[in-house]
Amino acid sequence: MKYAYEDLSDDQFEQLVVFLCQELLGISTQGFAKGPDGGRDAKFVGTADLYPSKSSPWTGITIIQAKHTNGYNKHFSEADFYSVDGDSSVLSKEILKIKKLREEEQLDHYMLFANRRLAANAESEIRYYISTQCNLPESSICLCGVEQLEMWLKTFPKVAERANLDMVDSPLVVSPDDLSEVVYALADHKKTGLITEDDPPAPRIPYADKNEINNMSAEYADTLRKRYLKETAQVQYFLSAPENHELMQIYENIVDEFQLKIIAKRKDHQNFDSVMNHLVDLLFARDPVLRKHKRLTRVMLFYMYWNCDIGSEEYASSN
């Protein structure tokens, strides 16, 4: 079975890796609590059960790192993950931690898991890079992408069960595809410079009441209104135009998905500031069109909220 690793939370992916390493290395593989990890999400000390093989297992201290992304179809070779020219990539930061652990004699072998695709040439190049940078033999480095992860989970099917890979427990994750289509069309429309109505649409309920119902902070709500309210008229005009009937249907599908998932996945204590920020971060991470049109994406999310397409309109019953 192929799992939608991008729909897992960071904690779920890390737990999956720990359980898998308990099979590969040994039951004493130890995961760590959240917080500064010093370059290690998990650790194994001793002689491995199965890795790299039963006949020639690793011996010593094995440090394990799990790097999760919510992005679609990501690769190890992308510049945000691996770059020899900069110091802001994921691996550049990990190199510093690996070096420190090597200097302190706290690392003999290194395993890096990521829910990214790993081509053979990229695997060789990255493994060589880590080896030369950290004075670590290439034979003591394991890079695991989704292809290898799939093979191991087929070999150890109970690992996914132990890690509770049940989509009911997944975090708030929405698809960016339909919103990307609407934002792209709206961005193209704005290029024409067509004059639209200046008056923003009236909210279905008073804005202050909606913010209180949804537990959105006054400062956050005021900032949204100041930045994006003036553009909601153009969104309304665009979606209601007869020639954009299909886009309006797509928009309605978007708000159905967003609203239902927000209802299902939002924590009781969570304010709506966090919901909006989570959606923005997720959408930017998953779709290049939305990343390119960040302001328009934020305008669309604000329009959904202002128009009461997402978020609650009524106080919960006190009974």
Side-chain angles (χ1 to χ4, degrees), residues 138-150:
E138 288 190 54
S139 59
S140 290
I141 300 169
C142 169
L143 303 178
C144 176
V146 290
E147 300 87 353
Q148 184 62 60
L149 194 56
E150 285 294 312

Side-chain angles (χ1 to χ4, degrees), residues 178-194 231 234-235 238-239 244 247 287-300:
D178 286 344
L179 182 59
S180 176
E181 184 173 348
V182 173
V183 166
Y184 183 84
L186 181 56
D188 190 57
H189 166 79
K190 288 171 72 71
K191 290 178 184 178
T192 66
L194 295 177
E231 299 191 48
Q234 188 169 11
V235 174
F238 175 76
L239 290 175
N244 293 328
L247 288 173
D287 193 278
V289 172
L290 299 180
R291 283 198 301 275
K292 181 179 179 180
H293 300 288
K294 288 185 176 181
R295 181 174 180 81
L296 266 183
T297 302
R298 293 181 186 275
V299 168
M300 288 299 302

